[in-house]
Amino acid sequence: NRKHEAIQMLLMSGGGNNTGFGDMVITYLISPGNLALFDAAGQLIHADVLGEFSDKIEGLAGDYASLDNGINNFFTEVRPIIGITTYPDPTKGLKGRCGQTSLLGPDYPCARYETDFIISPQAEYEMISDRFVVALNQKVRGTTNRGWNVIDVETMAGTHGICNCDDPYINTIGASYEVQGDIFAIA
């Protein structure tokens, strides 16, 4: 539309919204929901929720294929270099996985706004990381078979999740309030 002869590189992030990442964060990381609860028979209580996330993550292959076809149809003369980023793991901090590690309270006081002052168990953060973030990033990494270049934000972000109080790479609710007085700077 801007009359450029070509775009040399297309950099994007894609898949998190398609899979319900925002809903997972609101319902489980921020609210008191817990994905890691088991019933008396040892079955996950929220297996249906995890199944829904898994189905959406599996559907990303088709979404990426459609996007790749759209890119090919739009850039008919010169295909740009395509870069896609993985997602950082918000559950990691300097002391390991976020979550309650003792009866004395959380090891991440800076993230108390995120959990409405309710301390989520470490098992929940592990579940979110293993079943959601890792699975999502595996699908992102699978785009290399389309010739896309994967930019590994997950590894670069390392232990700088919401419970890294000294140097978080994720803007938390508390940081958003501190910077601009509302929740709209969360990222």
Side-chain angles (χ1 to χ4, degrees):
N1 290 341
R2 294 185 178 156
K3 309 297 184 217
H4 295 295
E5 290 182 21
I7 293 177
Q8 295 177 342
M9 181 171 189
L10 176 61
L11 177 61
M12 61 187 163
S13 172
N17 290 339
N18 301 53
T19 57
F21 182 72
D23 293 338
M24 186 269 304
V25 168
I26 290 168
T27 306
Y28 297 99
L29 285 181
I30 296 174
S31 297
N34 185 345
L35 282 174
L37 291 178
F38 290 88
D39 63 18
Q43 301 295 314
L44 274 171
I45 292 173
H46 296 292
D48 58 331
V49 174
L50 289 167
E52 185 179 326
F53 284 135
S54 294
D55 290 347
K56 289 178 180 178
I57 289 169
E58 283 303 311
L60 284 177
D63 294 340
Y64 292 143
S66 295
L67 179 57
D68 196 52
N69 287 335
I71 290 168
N72 288 333
N73 290 336
F74 189 82
F75 298 103
T76 55
E77 294 183 30
V78 179
R79 179 180 164 101
I81 297 168
I82 300 170
I84 186 168
T85 62
T86 59
Y87 288 83
D89 189 338
T91 71
K92 292 183 178 178
L94 292 174
K95 298 178 183 179
R97 187 76 60 207
C98 295
Q100 182 175 353
T101 56
S102 75
L103 295 175
L104 299 176
D107 62 356
Y108 56 104
C110 58
R112 288 181 184 166
Y113 283 115
E114 273 52 50
T115 60
D116 199 23
F117 294 88
I118 297 167
I119 303 165
S120 297
Q122 191 170 2
E124 179 175 35
Y125 287 97
E126 289 171 0
M127 179 84 62
I128 289 168
S129 178
D130 295 343
R131 294 279 194 92
F132 191 85
V133 179
V134 170
L136 173 60
N137 283 333
Q138 285 174 339
K139 287 297 179 187
V140 170
R141 287 184 179 95
T143 62
T144 58
N145 65 7
R146 304 192 166 286
W148 296 7
N149 299 283
V150 175
I151 299 153
D152 192 354
V153 173
E154 178 186 24
T155 300
M156 289 185 278
T159 60
H160 296 275
I162 65 169
C163 57
N164 182 326
C165 298
D166 297 327
D167 190 20
Y169 287 3
I170 297 166
N171 215 15
T172 62
I173 293 173
S176 179
Y177 272 112
E178 185 178 316
V179 170
Q180 67 184 43
D182 59 35
I183 64 169
F184 302 111
I186 298 171

